[in-house]
Amino acid sequence: MAKETTSKVLNLKTLNKSTVWDVQENDIFRMLESGDKDVEVKDNLRHYADIIRSAFTIEEIKDDKQIREKYAKLGYKVGAIKLGEDSKVIWAIKKRPIVRVTDLTYENIRHITAAKLIEVLERNFGGGWDSLSQSIQDIIESGFDISTTTLPKDRLHKKGGMYEKKVADGFEVLEIEKGTWVEAIFAKLKPETIKPKMRFDDFKDDMEDDDNEDDDLPIDDYNSPDEDDDMEIEDPNDDEINENNYRTTFTIDDVPDEDAESLSDFIADE
């Protein structure tokens, strides 16, 4: 039911490479038809077509009855796409099947059920969970809780054991025989998590609160030194330094530096 609702609200402008897996061929034609009079959609049709192609196979075919019927028998939905007032093309569209582990992506992994995942794994398996590449494991675990166990056949289904508890908790299971042992792979779709977003107004309010913390301080306190600061006390017995008693002595070498430039040379260069 959730997917049907999603497909009704989605349109070409809100479609992305993840949500496109929620819709079907008829939804695509409906979206294209509803966007026919939208200038922005027409100008960006190539962009929307790329998004659709990430989940669907699109074939541009001739407007011929026999060709239409041929594609329809192959499971395609066929329809006309208007490109302008007097221009149109015929598209044959078919949802890409997920039958192999290599068909799994970060965009579609959350759009299949645990039962479907087990079906895909069973079709491709032989060596168990560890036989999958790390990249495929990462994709699967981004959408599913996965756990495995390997036990002798007579112990796997032991009453009160892990197998029974996982199944009771809603996990789907794939069993792979390895001689007298069995590897069990448990899979359950992860709940969707919504990342909290900080509104700019909240950030602005926090900044204003920090700025106003000093507003309650007395004016005298702004420039008051901390009690722990070391303060230098002037000695009243120190003689005041003035031009009559202050002298700095330094030595000037008589031998000039051969590499040094004179001021006149610098001015000449300027």
Side-chain angles (χ1 to χ4, degrees):
M1 183 66 68
K3 289 189 176 182
E4 292 178 4
T5 305
T6 303
S7 63
K8 289 179 181 177
V9 234
L10 284 175
N11 55 59
L12 286 179
K13 292 182 179 180
T14 59
L15 204 63
N16 59 50
K17 289 186 178 181
S18 176
T19 56
V20 70
W21 287 94
D22 279 332
V23 301
Q24 302 304 321
E25 293 87 351
N26 288 335
D27 298 315
I28 297 298
F29 282 114
R30 175 186 55 78
M31 291 179 188
L32 290 167
E33 184 180 356
S34 62
D36 175 49
K37 296 181 180 179
D38 192 319
V39 178
E40 184 181 346
V41 169
K42 288 183 178 180
D43 291 343
N44 295 281
L45 187 59
R46 184 183 295 275
H47 165 70
Y48 299 124
D50 287 341
I51 293 176
I52 296 170
R53 282 194 179 93
S54 67
F56 293 84
T57 299
I58 301 177
E59 298 287 348
E60 186 176 329
I61 63 175
K62 292 182 179 180
D63 191 3
D64 179 87
K65 183 179 179 181
Q66 289 185 342
I67 295 178
R68 281 173 173 253
E69 290 177 352
K70 175 186 174 182
Y71 275 89
K73 288 179 182 179
L74 294 173
Y76 286 80
K77 295 290 183 182
V78 182
I81 308 298
K82 292 184 68 176
L83 300 178
E85 294 297 330
D86 302 314
S87 177
K88 70 176 182 179
V89 296
I90 306 300
W91 273 9
I93 302 178
K94 184 181 180 181
K95 190 78 167 282
R96 292 184 185 276
I98 300 175
V99 293
R100 301 179 298 274
V101 290
T102 50
D103 294 326
L104 298 171
T105 66
Y106 284 106
E107 288 77 22
N108 66 26
I109 191 62
R110 293 195 61 84
H111 299 278
I112 62 173
T113 62
K116 176 65 176 177
L117 175 64
I118 293 298
E119 178 187 319
V120 172
L121 294 178
E122 187 175 16
R123 187 177 293 114
N124 290 272
F125 259 23
W129 177 255
D130 290 336
S131 69
L132 291 173
S133 67
Q134 186 61 52
S135 58
I136 295 296
Q137 289 184 14
D138 291 343
I139 289 172
I140 294 173
E141 291 181 327
S142 70
F144 290 86
D145 284 322
I146 300 291
S147 56
T148 66
T149 185
T150 303
L151 294 169
K153 288 182 180 180
D154 56 350
R155 290 182 53 194
L156 180 62
H157 295 272
K158 184 179 179 180
K159 189 174 181 180
M162 180 180 182
Y163 189 103
E164 187 177 280
K165 291 177 181 177
K166 288 289 185 181
V167 172
D169 195 26
F171 282 79
E172 296 286 340
V173 191
L174 173 62
E175 297 180 31
I176 303 170
E177 292 192 8
K178 297 182 175 181
T180 58
W181 292 65
V182 176
E183 178 180 356
I185 301 168
F186 304 92
K188 182 180 179 181
L189 188 66
K190 288 181 178 178
E192 288 196 63
T193 55
I194 301 175
K195 295 180 180 179
K197 294 182 179 180
M198 176 179 284
R199 294 184 303 133
F200 176 75
D201 290 342
D202 295 337
F203 178 75
K204 182 180 177 183
D205 291 341
D206 291 341
M207 291 292 291
E208 289 178 351
D209 290 342
D210 291 341
D211 291 340
N212 292 332
E213 283 182 1
D214 292 336
D215 290 349
D216 296 332
L217 292 174
I219 296 177
D220 292 341
D221 288 345
Y222 276 105
N223 296 318
S224 299
D226 293 337
E227 293 180 0
D228 296 333
D229 288 348
D230 293 332
M231 297 184 64
E232 184 177 345
I233 308 298
E234 183 179 354
D235 188 348
N237 297 319
D238 287 348
D239 294 332
E240 183 180 355
I241 298 174
N242 53 53
E243 59 182 1
N244 295 322
N245 61 19
Y246 177 74
R247 183 179 63 183
T248 299
T249 305
F250 57 93
T251 305
I252 300 177
D253 295 334
D254 294 333
V255 181
D257 186 353
E258 295 179 357
D259 295 331
E261 295 180 347
S262 67
L263 181 59
S264 59
D265 292 334
F266 178 79
I267 297 174
D269 291 340
E270 290 290 313

